[in-house]
Every structure is written in structure tokens, then in C-alpha cells.
Amino acid sequence: MFDAALAADERIEPRDWMPDAYRASLVRQIAQHAHSEIIGMQPEANWITRAPSLRRKAILMAKVQDEAGHGLYLYSAAETLGTGREELLDKLHSGRQKYSSIFNYPTLTWADVGAIGWLVDGAAITNQVPLCRCSYGPYARAMVRICKEESFHQRQGYELLQTLSRGTEAQHAMAQDAVDRWWWPSLMMFGPPDDESAHSAQSMAWKIKRHSNDELRQRFVDICVPQAASLGLTLPDPDLRWNEERGHHDFGAIDWSEFHEVLRGNGPCNEERISRRKQAHEEGTWVREAAAAYARKHSDSLGEAGA
Ligand code: 3HC
């Protein structure tokens, strides 16, 4: 049944039989996706109190709140596979589960908010649109809503950079500096090269991953080159050039040692991100307890009404 459903490009739903390994790989990926969303709130939140205008502040607050909502959606998708949020957050806090390497870099200037929107959310869209066709129903459906919001995230970042790039010399330089720092880490978001990807072959056989890491990375580079030109900004890669034969842009070598260092916990902000996350979890205990007490009381009264 499971194989026939996959072959027919049908969705696997929570109550369908599925191989334990399929379930485990989905929990792994969805959990880390959710962790990335909530950790990803930190770099940008750093600028909410220092946004240069009320309009920019409102946009940034909306975006950071969206990321929290994406995390909620994805933890809920993981719960349909039988794994509760508490367990996943515990694994995040204890380093037994990851979040995207990209969020271990600092946001040094206001232009970083634009570079994150344009590049990080842009990469997320390139990676997440195919996930709307993922074989597991709840994950694919969560992606449809998330991708719509990511488009707003990418657009506001692009427009922010455009404003700076067309501003004073100092503003243009700030935008260029941010793009220089966020370009290569954004390419690492797509995962290791295909020949080093532990999960890709099986993930593609299960129609979870629909395109390989390198394919989506190439797609993202091809999208960004003309956008950088229209922004009046350059991408920090001297080997970047159009290859007529391939019909794609050739680009320089990615520093995978940096990628592995960040995954080992040695990125610029790994410590700070996890300690801030744990602190927020601690401080939110009363909210969880209050919500649980309300749910118990509410369900009792619901029970009486039902009786
Ligand atoms: N950062 C951290 N870990 C990474 C990574 C990265 N950039 N790229 C790969 N990895 C990890 C994988 O999780 C896997 O480790 P694990 O076995 O402990 O899970 C290992 O490196 C090997 O990588 P694979 O390519 O074999 O793993 P996958 O097949 O899972 O592919 C992936 C990696 C492409 C990131 C895939 O998991 C995926 O598409 N995930 C869903 C999307 C996602 O999580 N995006 C992260 C950013 S979310 C975001 O940007 C939010 C936006 O609002 C800003």
C-alpha cells in the first residue's frame, strides 16, 4: 500500500501504515526545520528595537512572528508522527537535534535584516517549494502556507537592500558588506554536496526530498545573480559566471570545513543561540502551565456540557 501510494504520487497521511524509518526520517527533518524557524527569530529580533523607521519595525515584527508560527506549524506536523514538542525541544536544547547552520551567524548591521530576507528566506523558498509536493501530507500542507509567508519575507528583504543600495555611499557599502557575509553561508543551507549527503538517496526514494541538495543550490544561484545585478550589489564570488553549455552559472568552491565547524557547534553564535533559547523556554514555563491548566478546566466543562 505504502509503495503503491508513493508510486502514484499520493500523500501518506498520519493514520496510514508507514515504515518506521520513513517516520523517523520525517521526524528528524521536520523537527530540525521547526528548530531552525524558532532559532531563526533571534538574529533578526536583535534589530526590532533599532529598526530605522516605524514601517520597518512593523515589517520586521511581522516577519519574526511569522517564523514563530512556522515553528508551531512544523512542531504540529511532527506531532502527527507521534513525537511531542517537549521531546523535540529537549533534543534541541541538549544538542541532540540540529537547526540550520545559517542562524549561527551574527546580524552586525541593519542591512543584515535585508540580506537575511533576500538570501536566507530566498534560499528557504527554493528549498521549501518542492517540499509542498512531499509525500507526507501534513508536512506538504504546512509548506503551502509557509511558502506564501516566505515570499513576503524575501520581498521585504530585497526591498530593504534596494533602498540601502540606492541610498548614500555609506548605505550602499553597508548593504554590500551584509551580502558579502551572508552569501556563502546561504549556499550551505541546501546541505552538503550530493556525494556527501547521508539522507538524500533514501529521502528522494520516499519522495520527501524532490530535488538534490546541489540541484536546489544551483537553482538558487541562478535566481540570485540577476537579482544582485538589479540591486546594484555584487556577489562575493570571483568564479561566478554564466556557462552557456550548462545553461547555469558556474560558481566557486564552498568552504565545507566552515560548514562542518558550524555544525560541530563552533560557529560565531552557536552558544548564544542555544542559551537564549533555553532561557526563553524557562521563562515561558508559566505560559505552558497556564495553557495546560486552562485546557484541563476547559475540557472538564466541555465534558459536563457533553454529559
Ligand atoms: N545546517 C544544519 N544541518 C544541516 C544543514 C545545515 N545547513 N544541511 C544539512 N544538515 C544536516 C542534515 O540535517 C543531516 O544531519 P542529521 O542526519 O543529523 O539530520 C546532515 O547534515 C546530512 O545532510 P543531508 O543532506 O543528508 O540531510 P537532508 O537530506 O535532511 O537534507 C536539508 C538537508 C536540505 C536541510 C533537508 O533536511 C531539508 O530540506 N530540510 C527542510 C528545510 C530546512 O530545514 N531548512 C532550514 C532552514 S529553515 C529557514 O530558513 C526558515 C526561514 O524562515 C528563514
Side-chain angles (χ1 to χ4, degrees):
M1 290 271 283
F2 174 81
D3 291 338
L6 285 190
D9 253 340
E10 286 164 10
R11 288 276 156 77
I12 306 297
E13 296 299 337
R15 289 196 179 87
D16 294 342
W17 181 88
M18 61 185 84
D20 291 345
Y22 175 83
R23 183 187 300 275
S25 194
L26 276 166
V27 169
R28 169 193 66 84
Q29 175 164 334
I30 296 171
Q32 293 180 147
H33 197 160
H35 297 334
S36 302
E37 300 282 3
I38 64 168
I39 296 280
M41 294 166 71
Q42 291 186 35
E44 294 176 308
N46 180 30
W47 284 91
I48 288 178
T49 56
R50 293 178 284 166
S53 72
L54 185 60
R55 174 175 173 269
R56 291 289 182 200
K57 184 185 186 116
I59 292 173
L60 183 55
M61 283 179 78
K63 178 182 191 298
V64 173
Q65 284 168 341
D66 279 353
E67 309 298 10
H70 295 176
L72 178 68
Y73 259 46
L74 290 164
Y75 286 126
S76 302
E79 279 164 358
T80 67
L81 289 160
T83 307
R85 196 168 321 180
E86 285 309 307
E87 180 188 340
L88 298 178
L89 287 170
D90 184 45
K91 284 186 174 165
L92 170 65
H93 299 160
S94 59
R96 285 176 291 149
Q97 274 184 341
K98 303 181 170 77
Y99 56 92
S100 188
S101 51
I102 190 72
F103 297 120
N104 287 309
Y105 292 84
T107 43
L108 303 177
T109 74
W110 170 251
D112 287 41
V113 174
I116 288 176
W118 176 45
L119 293 174
V120 175
D121 290 85
I125 293 171
T126 307
N127 163 279
Q128 289 170 172
V129 165
L131 284 173
C132 296
R133 289 185 296 112
C134 159
S135 58
Y136 186 58
Y139 193 28
R141 290 188 290 271
M143 280 301 113
V144 174
R145 164 73 181 269
I146 287 176
C147 284
K148 283 185 172 42
E149 293 175 344
E150 294 292 13
S151 302
F152 146 62
H153 298 171
Q154 194 266 4
R155 187 86 207 116
Q156 64 82 33
Y158 181 90
E159 194 244 351
L160 191 159
L161 283 180
Q162 194 174 52
T163 307
L164 289 175
S165 177
R166 295 176 180 173
T168 64
E169 242 178 76
Q171 287 174 327
H172 182 92
M174 188 163 67
Q176 184 60 62
D177 162 62
V179 170
D180 290 350
R181 286 183 285 107
W182 287 93
W183 173 247
W184 292 104
S186 297
L187 297 190
M188 297 175 196
M189 286 174 66
F190 293 94
D194 290 349
D195 55 6
E196 291 170 28
S197 168
H199 301 288
S200 281
Q202 182 59 70
S203 184
M204 289 177 86
W206 281 330
K207 297 187 178 176
I208 296 170
K209 186 179 275 188
R210 303 308 297 254
H211 300 278
S212 78
N213 298 356
D214 288 332
E215 247 180 285
L216 291 180
R217 194 179 352 261
Q218 178 67 70
R219 187 179 295 182
F220 177 65
V221 170
D222 291 340
I223 289 169
C224 288
V225 171
Q227 290 177 350
S230 67
L231 281 170
L233 298 171
T234 55
L235 296 172
D237 178 0
D239 298 324
L240 192 60
R241 64 178 56 77
W242 178 250
N243 180 323
E244 192 55 41
E245 230 172 271
R246 288 182 57 232
H248 292 291
H249 291 85
D250 293 336
F251 55 95
I254 293 171
D255 178 357
W256 292 111
S257 63
E258 175 183 330
F259 173 76
H260 290 299
E261 269 309 289
V262 174
L263 258 63
R264 267 195 285 274
N266 306 323
C269 300
N270 294 56
E271 287 291 307
E272 177 189 336
R273 298 289 185 243
I274 286 296
S275 59
R276 183 73 55 83
R277 168 83 283 278
K278 287 180 189 171
Q279 181 195 356
H281 193 70
E282 268 314 296
E283 289 169 358
T285 305
W286 71 271
V287 178
R288 292 192 297 278
E289 286 172 353
Y294 176 82
R296 276 193 302 279
K297 182 172 179 319
H298 187 68
S299 62
D300 293 353
S301 58
L302 200 69
E304 274 154 34

